[in-house]
Amino acid sequence: MLRAAELVAGVMEGGNLTDAFERMAADHAAWPDATRGAVRDLAWSTLRDYGTGDAVLQQFLHSPPAVLIHGLLLVALTRLEQRPEQAHTVVDQTVQAAAVAMPGLKGMVNGVLRNALRQRQLWTSWVEADEEARHTHPRWWITRVRADHSEHWRSILEAGRQRPPMALRVNRRRAEVDAVVAELEAAGIALRAVSGQTVLLAQPLPVARLPGFAEGRVSVQDAGAQRAALLLAPQAGERVLDACAAPGGKTAHLLELADIELSALELDPLRAQRIRANLDRLGLEARIQVADCARLETWWDGRPFDRILADVPCSASGVVRRHPDIKWLRRDEDIAGFAAQQARIVDALWHTLAPGGTMLYVTCSVFGQENAAQLAAFLRHHADAESDPIDGFPDCQLLPDADHDGFYFARLRKKA
């Protein structure tokens, strides 16, 4: 409980949740998978419902507590929601954790939680009275989603507070879908084949428990993310660029689809290493370069690409259930900054695309400023660009649901 609270407190102080968890796991390498998974699940669940928990806490806090104690109380409320039948045990464990972290505040922690339990029947009314608590997203985020998706905004926000699905991509170079499905079912893993090479698991599992993962027969990749390589549709012998490539899931998928000459760019050297590790596990090869994809002079050899995957940095608003710290760390004004960065990248990459070539613009965002508005602006500014429709439409906005996360795709062709 205390470890999960430390992660939550780190986010409240502006830290990155995934990075903090990876450091914690490295510092506790002896933790069994069950402990590591429990800490992760509790921290992620608490942050998905941060607004709800804070609305309840504010009824009992007369002044802001120390950030670690605040995080601990939020974690306790999440555990009380998950295990109401163990309420007294949860309170006792929380008080014990407070005694370890800040002994002088264990009485306050005990008093707040016991008061909260006595007024449990009022929690719902407190949450319903607060829009941020009701939807577990910041108000500016709610406003944007409502404006961009007037018919689906509630379902988008609801998806953002759910546990994400776990999907596998079958490596067509090493396995057939039917054989992988049979192998997983024989191991007692509930699943369903979705489409193509995609298998959706009923429950998330550590990759160590997945038959065929270590041997490169399957990879973990969201079903929505798997659409990127399929939409770009590389053909044998083509020269392909994967810009902003880490951690390498889409890079690998492109290489699984066709025998191509692929270059993968990544700005962060450590993240570039993850691309190499992923490709090595799958028995694939690409040219990996550490570079800013918008600074052509640092990496491009002047030879044009037949196809480009421009999976650009974005708000990540479509994958927020996987990264729940994002919705509390982002600010409304950040979106314009992402949009400017995206435009800079695709304008630069367009110069490297051969006439007749195809670029796929991709974000994991549901915000229109990063998506349809970018497509419209690009087409206005580039007379040699034309939209290559997807399923009869100029673009494709996948909204998060039970099967996949939220993604945006726009396919562009350079006039010959």
Side-chain angles (χ1 to χ4, degrees):
M1 214 167 196
L2 182 57
R3 298 307 179 195
E6 290 172 354
L7 293 171
V8 172
V11 171
M12 294 170 71
E13 293 181 312
N16 179 282
L17 178 60
T18 301
D19 291 348
F21 177 74
E22 290 179 353
R23 289 193 300 269
M24 181 178 287
D27 290 341
H28 298 84
W31 276 355
D33 286 344
T35 300
R36 186 179 295 107
V39 170
R40 189 187 192 283
D41 181 70
L42 189 51
W44 262 250
S45 296
T46 299
L47 286 164
R48 287 191 194 105
D49 283 341
Y50 174 87
T52 298
D54 217 39
V56 173
L57 273 187
Q58 295 312 313
Q59 308 301 316
F60 305 101
L61 296 175
H62 302 297
S63 60
V67 66
L68 180 57
I69 295 300
H70 195 165
L72 183 60
L73 288 168
L74 288 169
V75 166
L77 290 181
T78 296
R79 182 57 61 85
L80 287 169
E81 285 279 5
Q82 294 173 342
R83 303 178 182 178
E85 75 285 357
Q86 299 179 14
H88 294 295
T89 300
V90 171
V91 172
D92 288 343
Q93 290 175 343
T94 308
V95 172
Q96 291 170 19
V100 171
M102 293 185 170
L105 294 178
K106 67 177 185 178
M108 184 271 281
V109 168
N110 183 61
V112 166
L113 292 180
R114 293 196 183 279
N115 282 338
L117 282 176
R118 280 193 289 269
Q119 300 186 56
R120 180 66 182 85
Q121 71 281 4
L122 297 176
W123 290 15
T124 300
S125 62
W126 294 333
V127 170
E128 286 299 314
D130 185 321
E131 186 179 43
E132 289 193 354
R134 192 165 64 251
H135 296 298
T136 68
H137 287 73
R139 192 162 287 106
W140 69 265
W141 192 300
I142 297 168
T143 299
R144 273 189 181 269
V145 173
R146 186 188 287 124
D148 290 342
H149 305 282
S150 59
E151 296 182 6
H152 305 288
W153 68 273
R154 288 184 178 86
S155 63
I156 295 170
L157 296 175
E158 180 59 28
R161 66 184 300 181
Q162 304 301 319
R163 284 182 171 82
M166 183 173 181
L168 306 180
R169 184 188 75 246
V170 177
N171 181 357
R172 62 192 293 176
R173 293 182 179 271
R174 292 192 172 183
E176 297 294 331
V177 173
D178 290 346
V180 167
V181 167
E183 189 174 22
L184 292 168
E185 289 178 337
I189 299 172
L191 57 87
R192 60 186 171 93
V194 180
S195 62
Q197 309 298 117
T198 307
V199 175
L200 198 65
L201 304 188
Q203 296 292 334
L205 293 172
V207 294
R209 291 183 53 193
L210 292 174
F213 180 84
E215 297 79 13
R217 293 195 295 277
V218 296
S219 296
V220 177
Q221 187 183 32
D222 182 79
Q226 292 184 41
R227 290 206 66 187
L230 298 173
L231 288 173
L232 190 60
Q235 303 299 306
E238 289 184 331
R239 192 162 191 259
V240 179
L241 173 67
D242 183 0
C244 314
K250 298 181 184 71
T251 310
H253 196 187
L254 289 167
L255 290 165
E256 290 171 6
L257 292 177
D259 293 320
I260 55 177
E261 178 189 343
L262 190 142
S263 294
L265 298 180
E266 174 53 44
L267 183 61
D268 186 324
L270 292 177
R271 286 171 58 80
Q273 292 176 17
R274 294 181 64 187
I275 303 174
R276 173 56 59 198
N278 275 323
L279 296 186
D280 287 347
R281 180 179 60 83
L282 296 165
L284 301 169
E285 184 56 48
R287 183 187 183 194
I288 301 173
Q289 295 173 271
V290 177
D292 179 346
C293 61
R295 296 182 59 198
L296 304 186
E297 72 280 4
T298 65
W299 62 269
W300 188 40
D301 61 6
R303 296 169 56 209
F305 295 97
D306 300 296
R307 297 179 196 260
I308 296 175
L309 176 60
D311 186 6
V312 296
C314 70
S315 64
S317 52
V319 296
V320 70
R321 58 190 174 186
R322 297 187 190 276
H323 306 282
D325 52 325
I326 286 174
K327 59 184 175 182
W328 307 112
L329 297 177
R330 292 274 188 264
R331 297 292 178 264
D332 193 18
E333 56 269 23
D334 294 339
I335 310 308
F338 280 117
Q341 183 182 21
Q342 292 153 6
R344 181 174 69 91
I345 289 173
V346 293
D347 284 347
L349 293 178
W350 192 249
H351 291 291
T352 73
L353 185 65
T358 298
M359 175 188 286
L360 186 71
Y361 175 82
V362 181
T363 76
C364 54
S365 173
V366 296
F367 295 151
Q369 188 173 356
E370 300 178 282
N371 296 339
Q374 285 283 25
L375 173 63
F378 186 86
L379 290 172
R380 284 198 306 270
H381 297 146
H382 294 271
D384 59 345
E386 60 186 4
S387 176
D388 183 5
I390 298 172
D391 299 329
F393 296 93
D395 55 5
C396 172
Q397 174 73 74
L398 281 187
L399 300 178
D401 62 18
D403 287 355
H404 56 71
D405 289 334
F407 290 91
Y408 177 82
F409 306 100
R411 196 163 52 196
L412 297 158
R413 191 175 304 280
K414 190 177 237 183
K415 296 176 184 178

